[in-house]
Amino acid sequence: MRELIVGSDTLTPPYPILVEGTVVEGFGRGGKQLGIPTANLPSSVVDQALENIPIGVYYGWAQVQDDIVRPMVMSLGWNPYFKNEKRSGEVHIIHKFKDDFYGKQMKVAILAYIRAEKDYTSLEALVEDIQCDIRAAQESLKRTEYAAVQSSSFFNQS
């Protein structure tokens, strides 16, 4: 069993990491194969703004267009289970959306690192770990300093 609170009690550098970009089509696996839909950051954001942070799983807040700011988990890396040849940034916004949002603007505030990327022996083990990541994000974001980012000016600018 993993810890449900991840990261220090206060935000410490380099966090928060604030990025934004247009949601692009990914590999089509998140929602279809895993039941965990993702909004993919453009490669320009992954290659430039996120080039100096370790690959792995992170949590924070995300907003698509003018929708409300919601908790998120983000995989940054190569997705070894799927043998990706390109590093990707895949954001799972913790909410059930009716439609996808390809082509819409997304803002992401990355607040902490959850764990390293790893390979899995089964799809079920991968999904189980992602569900643990989601629970850890939800619990960790309840802390005052982390919760405050949800209403920060980064998300509220027009």
Side-chain angles (χ1 to χ4, degrees):
M1 179 91 172
R2 292 194 348 230
E3 295 291 323
L4 283 182
I5 301 291
V6 182
S8 64
D9 286 337
T10 58
L11 289 170
T12 56
Y15 307 107
I17 298 169
L18 307 175
V19 297
E20 59 185 296
T22 303
V23 176
V24 297
E25 287 197 45
F27 301 102
R29 297 185 291 242
K32 294 175 187 78
Q33 235 178 316
L34 304 176
I36 305 167
T38 58
N40 294 274
L41 292 166
S43 57
S44 59
V45 171
V46 175
D47 295 342
Q48 294 163 20
L50 302 177
E51 71 177 337
N52 293 320
I53 66 171
I55 61 170
V57 179
Y58 294 83
Y59 69 86
W61 299 101
Q63 179 184 40
V64 177
Q65 292 292 108
D66 297 322
D67 195 15
I68 67 171
V69 179
R70 302 181 191 278
M72 68 85 187
V73 291
M74 180 185 81
S75 168
L76 176 67
W78 303 94
N79 300 318
Y81 180 80
F82 294 107
K83 313 275 187 271
N84 286 8
E85 294 181 9
K86 184 174 171 78
R87 193 168 76 127
S88 64
E90 300 176 63
V91 177
H92 171 66
I93 300 173
I94 304 169
H95 177 76
K96 298 260 189 257
F97 289 94
K98 194 170 74 173
D99 299 309
D100 63 44
F101 26 85
Y102 298 126
K104 296 197 174 168
Q105 276 299 112
M106 179 170 63
K107 294 181 177 183
V108 177
I110 302 164
L111 303 184
Y113 183 81
I114 297 177
R115 63 175 174 83
E117 179 178 65
K118 52 186 172 178
D119 201 351
Y120 294 89
T121 55
S122 71
L123 197 60
E124 294 76 21
L126 169 59
V127 170
E128 185 177 312
D129 232 11
I130 295 170
Q131 293 298 340
C132 286
D133 298 334
I134 290 169
R135 286 191 297 277
Q138 290 170 317
E139 291 303 312
S140 299
L141 288 168
K142 290 177 182 176
R143 294 175 294 176
T144 305
E145 206 168 308
Y146 291 78
V149 175
Q150 183 180 22
S151 56
S152 73
S153 61
F154 172 66
F155 291 115
N156 295 315
Q157 354 171 2
S158 300

